[in-house]
Short mmCIF file of all heavy atoms in Angstrom, two decimals:
data_model
loop_
_atom_site.label_atom_id
_atom_site.label_comp_id
_atom_site.label_asym_id
_atom_site.label_seq_id
_atom_site.Cartn_x
_atom_site.Cartn_y
_atom_site.Cartn_z
N LYS A 89 -16.64 9.43 17.29
CA LYS A 89 -16.13 10.64 17.95
C LYS A 89 -16.78 10.87 19.32
O LYS A 89 -16.18 11.49 20.20
CB LYS A 89 -16.37 11.86 17.08
CG LYS A 89 -15.25 12.14 16.08
CD LYS A 89 -15.51 13.44 15.34
CE LYS A 89 -15.44 14.61 16.30
NZ LYS A 89 -15.69 15.90 15.62
N ARG A 90 -18.00 10.38 19.47
CA ARG A 90 -18.71 10.60 20.75
C ARG A 90 -18.17 9.72 21.87
O ARG A 90 -18.52 9.93 23.04
CB ARG A 90 -20.21 10.36 20.56
CG ARG A 90 -20.91 11.47 19.80
CD ARG A 90 -22.41 11.37 19.95
NE ARG A 90 -22.93 10.19 19.26
CZ ARG A 90 -23.30 10.17 17.98
NH1 ARG A 90 -23.19 11.27 17.24
NH2 ARG A 90 -23.78 9.08 17.43
N LYS A 91 -17.38 8.75 21.54
CA LYS A 91 -16.83 7.84 22.56
C LYS A 91 -15.59 8.46 23.18
O LYS A 91 -14.58 8.67 22.50
CB LYS A 91 -16.50 6.48 21.93
CG LYS A 91 -17.73 5.71 21.45
CD LYS A 91 -17.33 4.42 20.79
CE LYS A 91 -18.54 3.56 20.48
NZ LYS A 91 -19.49 4.21 19.57
N HIS A 92 -15.64 8.79 24.45
CA HIS A 92 -14.50 9.39 25.13
C HIS A 92 -14.61 9.09 26.62
O HIS A 92 -15.66 8.64 27.12
CB HIS A 92 -14.44 10.90 24.89
CG HIS A 92 -15.67 11.65 25.33
ND1 HIS A 92 -15.90 11.99 26.63
CD2 HIS A 92 -16.74 12.10 24.62
CE1 HIS A 92 -17.05 12.63 26.72
NE2 HIS A 92 -17.59 12.71 25.50
N THR A 93 -13.53 9.36 27.33
CA THR A 93 -13.53 9.18 28.78
C THR A 93 -14.45 10.23 29.41
O THR A 93 -14.27 11.43 29.19
CB THR A 93 -12.10 9.33 29.34
OG1 THR A 93 -11.25 8.38 28.68
CG2 THR A 93 -12.08 9.06 30.84
N ASN A 94 -15.41 9.77 30.19
CA ASN A 94 -16.44 10.68 30.69
C ASN A 94 -15.87 11.72 31.66
O ASN A 94 -16.20 12.90 31.60
CB ASN A 94 -17.53 9.87 31.39
CG ASN A 94 -18.82 10.64 31.53
OD1 ASN A 94 -19.03 11.61 30.80
ND2 ASN A 94 -19.67 10.22 32.44
N SER A 95 -14.96 11.28 32.53
CA SER A 95 -14.44 12.20 33.55
C SER A 95 -13.40 13.16 32.96
O SER A 95 -13.31 14.31 33.37
CB SER A 95 -13.82 11.41 34.70
OG SER A 95 -12.79 10.56 34.20
N ASN A 96 -12.59 12.66 32.00
CA ASN A 96 -11.55 13.50 31.41
C ASN A 96 -11.30 13.05 29.96
O ASN A 96 -10.54 12.11 29.72
CB ASN A 96 -10.25 13.41 32.22
CG ASN A 96 -9.21 14.38 31.75
OD1 ASN A 96 -9.42 15.12 30.79
ND2 ASN A 96 -8.07 14.39 32.41
N PRO A 97 -11.91 13.70 28.98
CA PRO A 97 -11.78 13.27 27.58
C PRO A 97 -10.34 13.29 27.06
O PRO A 97 -10.04 12.61 26.07
CB PRO A 97 -12.65 14.28 26.82
CG PRO A 97 -13.60 14.81 27.83
CD PRO A 97 -12.85 14.81 29.13
N ARG A 98 -9.45 14.04 27.72
CA ARG A 98 -8.07 14.08 27.24
C ARG A 98 -7.34 12.75 27.44
O ARG A 98 -6.25 12.56 26.90
CB ARG A 98 -7.31 15.18 27.98
CG ARG A 98 -7.67 16.59 27.50
CD ARG A 98 -6.89 17.66 28.23
NE ARG A 98 -7.21 17.67 29.66
CZ ARG A 98 -6.63 18.50 30.53
NH1 ARG A 98 -5.71 19.35 30.12
NH2 ARG A 98 -6.97 18.47 31.81
N ARG A 99 -7.92 11.85 28.21
CA ARG A 99 -7.30 10.54 28.42
C ARG A 99 -7.61 9.56 27.29
O ARG A 99 -7.07 8.46 27.26
CB ARG A 99 -7.77 9.95 29.74
CG ARG A 99 -7.26 10.72 30.96
CD ARG A 99 -7.75 10.09 32.23
NE ARG A 99 -7.22 10.78 33.42
CZ ARG A 99 -7.59 10.49 34.67
NH1 ARG A 99 -8.49 9.53 34.88
NH2 ARG A 99 -7.05 11.15 35.67
N GLY A 100 -8.48 9.93 26.39
CA GLY A 100 -8.79 9.05 25.26
C GLY A 100 -10.19 8.48 25.35
O GLY A 100 -10.92 8.79 26.29
#
Side-chain angles (χ1 to χ4, degrees):
K89 272 185 66 180
R90 286 194 292 271
K91 294 177 172 61
H92 58 80
T93 303
N94 199 20
S95 58
N96 187 358
R98 285 181 296 179
R99 292 180 177 174

